[in-house]
Amino acid sequence: MGKPIANIELWILDAELNPVAAGQAGELHIGGVGLARGYLNRPELTAEKFIQVPWSKIKLYKTGDQACWLPDGNIEYLGRLDFQVKVRGFRIELGEIEACLRQHEQINDAVVLVKDQALNDAKLVAYLECVDTDLTAKAVRDYVKAVLPEYMVPNHVVFMAALPVTAHGKADRDALPWPIPQSIPVGAIKPELKSTSLAIAQLLRLAQDVLNLSLSPDDDLFDAGATSFTLVRLIEQIRAASGIAIPIEVVLQQPTLAALSRYLAEHSVEQAINLEQALLALAAEVFSIPGLTEHDDLFDAGATSFTLVRLVERIRQQFNVTIALDAILATPTVAALSAALTTTIQQEKTTPYGLTMVKPSIINLPTFEFEPAFYRRPALASKPSALSQAKLAQLLSLLKQRDVQGKPKYLYSSAGGLNPVQVYVWLKDDAVHDIPAGIYYYHPVMHQLHLISTQHGLEHAFANVDLAADAQFGLFLIAELAAITPIYQGLGQVLSVLEAGYLAQMLQSRQAELELALLPVAVSGFAVIAEAFQLEPSQQFMHCLIGGLADWAQPAPVLDVSLTAFGQVSLAGIESVIGAAGHAVSFPSQQQRDQLHEQHRQLRPCTGTALALDDSPVALEWYGARAAKRDYLDQTIPLSALSGLLSLLRPQSVNLDAYLFTKLTAANSLQFYLYAQEQGVSELASGLYRYDLAAHGLIPVCSQLSQPIKSCYTPFNRKHASQAKAVLFIFANKREPVFAALLEAGAIGQLLLERQAEFGLGLCPIGGLLFDKIRADFTLTPDDELLHSFVIGAVNTPLPAFWPFLQRRALSKSQQQAIGIIGISGVYPGAEDLAEFAQLLQHGKTAFTAIEFNSESDYRRPIAADVTKTFSQHWRFFNGYSEFRCGVI
């Protein structure tokens, strides 16, 4: 815009009408001798637009334009304030969407409005005046999606012969139609869908009621104007009507009523497995051979030994059975394979799926049993008293950034140490003494709470409303993507979800010492409450824990954690680190990394009064033990140590639903592979192995990788990757809930790092891996995607005496002492009754005293003055008792 002309004053002011600093956005105001007195015959508008600022007697005109001062004194125009809106928690410039649409060669003009804001389901509606009447809503949405973020894509597209205009020739926004006239009748069903017309008709009626839309079965729901919030409501209505819960990712992949109808038909009746047809379908899928029959020779049809291995793996995954490759090589047809398996079924014990388990070669690992207490998860206390402020401060102290050897450190891992995940605390009425209800941002450097909003009735946004109603507080984990994407680019979102899993696991692993219960929950309607958090477009909701005082007498409820409701993350980014030309994506230099760290983008700028919290320091040994290790001892890893580490992934032996980490996916949803370097692990040959969780064993996959493992790492990670002795990979099938798998992988990563020192190991999580180089070496399906990986080496990390080992450890000779076991039967050491004895215990008082004597047998005889060697033990004597009897009750 340039600079103000003579006799004209330009001011850029904030919402409180104070001048802003250079570079800061505000509203442009005009003053000076050229300023008009007001609008003719419009006193209300004059009072609104012509104002007097509190710090001066001058009058200014509010332009409604957003602008900022540039360093050279010029003004930059940023757009119209009245066109800037907030939709589902994101600030959106409607003019930016309109400008994008007008660049389309078939669109003459465009107006974008926000509708249904009062219904908590705001929709972006694009009204278009087009050259070509063949342009479709889907084509328009795809065009905008390629240029602007997902949240700026219009929900509805309305084609008009001409946009209405005012008398001055400007677009008349008030004259644009809403609701949109419907042109497709509700009952329009295509002839080819008659076989499922009953289900389709039911879905059409549900869609009309819930979405307020008229649809045909093959209409894209998003193109028709549905939002994520209304789709969640539709899914809930379908579940209530049919008893079948449709995963949100099914809707996202095929957002049509016809696809939903097919899903309902496939899952409405439990059908017996036809072995031959199932194998035929698998073979056709793996070999990509259309029209394959059960009698075709698989090799003649184009199969190779490599694709046969993939078929074996697909059979194992789908039917929970591993078959010998020889069974296929002898007679390579699906019919022969089915007959051979049928014969074996008749001779041997069958699996629950009706197929015989043929055990593959497996290397059994030493078994580990951990203390049962570490598997316990408490329930929320019923009708609890209010938390003390100190209790909340103690919990949040675990998230505080601390100085460890001159560097800022946290108790959980973060890619590049960028820590993009922010924590917002939701407090309910009377939840915490002396802290009002509301939504607070926790500042990890200052250890303070900053009030964001006084809104606190958020229970309706949770998938499990009853569980949320029992909670006293919630922790919302929200990623500031601007703090990580400059370094990790497209991987930033995926790594932020992983970090949320790390952070949540760290908190949950300490709930016992805090006497709190922390439960993961799905927030299916976050879009409804997003505005209360006052987020920027670069911030994205990741995860939520609800909490309160714990009831350890009750187990934690079995949660239906539909975590895909948090958003949609593409796993393709993990394997897209290699560009189309086969060259690795270049990462920023160390100087660029340091510059980003200095900007502190992970911290939310805060103003106003802050609530300072009392600090509960955490022993620094926790930071050292948990830290990622990049320097390793030049020695092999003991197989027993590796076995202990892998045991952390298994459920408790007596309770297969209990894990040491937060389990968010179905059993066996994640797959684990281990690569051992040459002479990397004792008693284990080098090569690639698949870890069998149930059998606690390693199944050989291949003796060596097709590419050196260190060539798969970026230069930043290559040094410690080459020193490592083993690599652990975590995979998930992308047909499973993506968010849940990523969060669980992050929880596993936190558990492995927290416990690595107990096994004499050191791990380093790796974010960027050029996995395509070696993907063919793994027995993976096309739908299997790499989530996370770790390099592993031998490290000697001393642990303090207070360390809570997972395994009960035998005491050394120097640590062993004689103990006395006392049964209470009406006699209480140092007390007259049980109540007094309980008070002694609560206050840490002991009734045991040191008694010195000159022989172990003559402990009652006073020691002689000339005795130089005495025995000193701690005893409590019960005079008058000559015998104690022990029994089992």
Side-chain angles (χ1 to χ4, degrees), residues 143-164:
Y143 174 77
V144 177
K145 194 180 298 184
V147 179
L148 299 177
E150 181 78 27
Y151 56 82
M152 297 180 74
V153 177
N155 303 107
H156 292 278
V157 177
V158 183
F159 297 99
M160 306 184 70
L163 295 178

Side-chain angles (χ1 to χ4, degrees), residues 276-277 279-281 283-284 287 289 291-302 328 330-339:
E276 187 171 285
Q277 291 302 314
L279 291 174
L280 188 61
F287 303 142
I289 303 173
L292 183 68
T293 69
E294 61 270 27
H295 298 294
D296 287 342
D297 185 295
L298 298 177
F299 288 111
D300 291 343
I328 304 177
T331 308
T333 67
V334 170
L337 176 59
S338 176

Side-chain angles (χ1 to χ4, degrees), residues 219-222 248-260 262-263:
D219 282 345
D220 186 297
L221 297 176
F222 288 109
I248 189 69
E249 63 270 15
V250 171
V251 186
L252 296 175
Q253 290 170 1
Q254 290 185 293
T256 68
L257 295 180
L260 297 187
R262 286 193 295 271
Y263 183 92

Side-chain angles (χ1 to χ4, degrees), residues 631-849:
D631 294 309
Y632 309 111
L633 300 174
D634 187 16
Q635 63 186 48
T636 59
I637 297 173
L639 183 63
S640 60
L642 184 64
S643 174
L645 188 77
L646 294 175
S647 295
L648 299 175
L649 309 174
R650 306 183 71 203
Q652 187 181 18
S653 59
V654 296
N655 180 6
L656 297 182
D657 292 326
Y659 289 80
L660 292 170
F661 57 90
T662 306
K663 185 66 178 167
L664 301 176
T665 66
N668 301 320
S669 291
L670 301 187
Q671 298 182 58
F672 303 92
Y673 282 76
L674 180 88
Y675 174 69
Q677 299 266 36
E678 186 73 34
Q679 297 182 343
V681 182
S682 65
E683 307 174 54
L684 188 67
S686 62
L688 182 65
Y689 299 85
R690 181 173 61 82
Y691 175 55
D692 189 316
L693 204 68
H696 189 46
L698 295 173
I699 299 173
V701 176
C702 63
S703 59
Q704 64 179 20
L705 298 176
S706 54
Q707 298 288 332
I709 188 68
K710 69 177 183 180
S711 69
C712 300
Y713 293 97
T714 59
F716 179 74
N717 293 318
R718 190 164 295 177
K719 179 182 177 182
H720 47 278
S722 61
Q723 293 177 350
K725 301 300 182 182
V727 185
L728 179 65
F729 302 90
I730 304 178
F731 296 89
N733 191 291
K734 63 186 178 184
R735 295 183 180 180
E736 299 291 335
V738 173
F739 250 97
L742 278 169
L743 286 169
E744 186 171 311
I748 289 172
Q750 179 69 18
L751 173 64
L752 295 177
L753 289 178
E754 283 186 348
R755 298 298 174 175
Q756 59 186 343
E758 297 183 29
F759 306 102
L761 299 176
L763 282 72
C764 181
I766 299 296
L769 178 66
L770 311 181
F771 183 65
D772 274 350
K773 288 188 172 185
I774 55 175
R775 181 183 175 91
D777 300 324
F778 293 69
T779 53
L780 301 172
T781 71
D783 290 329
D784 292 328
E785 298 287 4
L786 177 66
L787 296 182
H788 207 10
S789 68
F790 308 82
V791 295
I792 309 171
V795 174
N796 181 20
T797 305
L799 293 174
F802 63 77
W803 189 264
F805 286 93
L806 288 174
Q807 238 186 344
R808 184 179 289 119
R809 299 171 65 83
L811 296 175
S812 65
K813 191 69 176 176
S814 62
Q815 294 174 309
Q816 294 178 9
Q817 294 185 12
I819 62 171
I821 301 176
I822 301 172
I824 297 177
S825 179
V827 178
Y828 310 100
E832 294 297 327
D833 54 33
L834 183 60
E836 186 180 352
F837 182 59
Q839 287 183 350
L840 290 176
L841 295 178
Q842 287 177 345
H843 292 87
K845 295 181 180 179
T846 179
F848 294 83
T849 55

Side-chain angles (χ1 to χ4, degrees), residues 85 117 151 209 304 336 401 502 519 611 690 693 747 792 869:
V85 296
Q117 281 184 301
Y151 56 82
D209 293 340
T304 65
Q401 175 187 295
Y502 273 86
L519 307 176
L611 175 61
R690 181 173 61 82
L693 204 68
I792 309 171
K869 181 180 180 181

Side-chain angles (χ1 to χ4, degrees), residues 75-87:
I75 294 176
E76 181 181 6
Y77 174 72
L78 300 177
R80 289 289 300 169
L81 280 173
D82 48 6
F83 290 169
Q84 188 181 79
V85 296
K86 211 166 188 182
V87 177

